[in-house]
Amino acid sequence: MINQIPGIKHTDTNNFFLMAGPCAIEGEDMALKIAERIINITDRLGIPFIFKGSYRKANRSRVDSFTGIGDEKALKILAKVGHEFGIPTVTDIHESNEAAMAACYVDVLQIPAFLCRQTDLLVAAAKTGKFINIKKGQFLSAGSMSFAVDKVRDSGNSQVILTDRGNTFGYQDLIVDFRGIPEMRSFGVPVVMDCTHSLQQPNQPNGVTGGKPGLIETIAKAAIAVGADGLFIETHPDPLHAKSDGANMLHLESLEQLLEKLVRIRQAL
């Protein structure tokens, strides 16, 4: 199913696919450089690649947090990345009226975890005819995501992807229940593990989300081992100075070595 996304590169290796890129679109040069670096790696390893970048960050702890460089400007950058490199792109939407707008620029619409129960949003996304990546809410069981899938399918769109991003564990931590990956795959959709957001540490006293990027490799290895179809990894050439979610992003220079290990695990399976 994933090979039906426009621009996805077909491989003969039965490999996992990768959604990766910066948390937010910070500028054109940055987006193009990150995309080019990831493409060089994924082409060599035979990994189908979808470039990820948020055109706007709506869910912020503080009113002074970075939200974006402007919707149209960021969406045009996403479209340029897709056109220049011939790859599919994904971005998240937050309200029903954003679905048709974003669909003009990207190949996959992403529903944020906190919004995965919003019926109007799911229906509006489905009606664009695009692939819909729904992130599992931190507050939901894997089994309950079947209803989110049904909302998209019942709206006439069978192109659904589910992404696990961990479960709330107390007020300031998340854990991953890897039983959820095979359970959600039983719905007949590709399942992705978000290896970076699942390591967030939300609700910090300073209003800036923390994270444990040192465990990205652990989460990714376990996800491939239990049968995840894809991985979601936010990456940046300078996470410490990223404008959004830098605390849990993978340094871009660490991506190649990690993917090499994961490909070997996939081949062993």
Side-chain angles (χ1 to χ4, degrees):
M1 177 182 175
I2 197 68
N3 285 332
Q4 297 171 10
I5 297 177
I8 201 80
K9 295 184 179 180
H10 296 254
T11 68
D12 297 322
T13 59
N14 191 33
N15 219 340
F16 59 89
F17 65 94
L18 177 69
M19 292 184 180
C23 177
I25 298 297
E26 300 176 11
E28 182 176 307
D29 287 346
M30 181 206 73
L32 291 171
K33 287 178 180 177
I34 293 175
E36 183 176 26
R37 175 63 177 145
I38 300 175
I39 289 167
N40 288 337
I41 297 169
T42 54
D43 278 358
R44 181 176 68 82
L45 296 176
I47 301 172
F49 170 49
I50 304 169
F51 179 80
K52 182 272 168 184
S54 295
Y55 73 90
R56 174 156 47 89
K57 301 302 295 184
N59 175 25
R60 302 286 87 187
S61 296
R62 298 180 355 189
V63 71
D64 61 347
S65 297
F66 174 81
T67 58
I69 60 174
D71 292 357
E72 186 177 11
K73 183 177 181 180
L75 285 167
K76 285 182 176 179
I77 290 172
L78 282 163
K80 183 171 183 177
V81 169
H83 177 74
E84 188 157 318
F85 295 109
I87 56 172
T89 55
V90 56
T91 197
D92 37 342
I93 59 173
H94 318 92
E95 298 183 20
S96 302
N97 60 7
E98 297 176 23
M101 173 187 69
C104 294
Y105 298 92
V106 300
D107 304 285
V108 182
L109 297 179
Q110 182 168 287
I111 307 300
F114 281 126
L115 302 177
C116 68
R117 283 174 52 95
Q118 298 298 104
T119 300
D120 289 349
L121 180 60
L122 287 167
V123 171
K127 289 184 176 179
T128 66
K130 297 288 184 174
F131 272 76
I132 313 300
N133 179 36
I134 312 173
K135 286 199 168 184
K136 185 188 78 63
Q138 303 94 315
F139 45 88
L140 290 176
S141 68
S144 64
M145 289 304 291
S146 64
F147 301 110
V149 173
D150 289 343
K151 288 177 183 179
V152 175
R153 285 175 171 166
D154 290 347
S155 301
N157 188 338
S158 62
Q159 301 175 136
V160 188
I161 303 167
L162 291 179
T163 294
D164 194 344
R165 51 98 74 235
N167 305 287
T168 299
F169 187 68
Y171 290 115
Q172 295 177 319
D173 208 357
L174 298 166
I175 57 171
V176 178
D177 181 354
F178 286 99
R179 297 174 299 177
I181 291 177
E183 183 171 5
M184 289 192 291
R185 290 188 81 232
S186 72
F187 307 152
V189 300
V191 174
V192 174
M193 183 70 232
D194 184 338
C195 303
T196 45
H197 287 96
S198 60
L199 291 166
Q200 282 184 333
Q201 293 182 302
N203 302 314
Q204 296 301 310
N206 63 357
V208 178
T209 298
K212 296 182 178 180
L215 290 173
I216 291 172
E217 181 173 326
T218 299
I219 297 294
K221 285 178 175 178
I224 294 300
V226 300
D229 300 286
L231 298 176
F232 181 106
I233 298 175
E234 288 189 340
T235 183
H236 193 283
D238 187 8
L240 289 177
H241 295 97
K243 294 184 178 181
S244 178
D245 279 1
N248 53 271
M249 275 198 279
L250 180 71
H251 198 292
L252 186 59
E253 290 305 309
S254 299
L255 182 64
E256 184 169 18
Q257 185 179 38
L258 172 61
L259 292 177
E260 288 174 345
K261 294 177 182 178
L262 298 175
V263 167
R264 290 198 292 271
I265 293 173
R266 180 67 173 226
Q267 290 171 344
L269 295 173

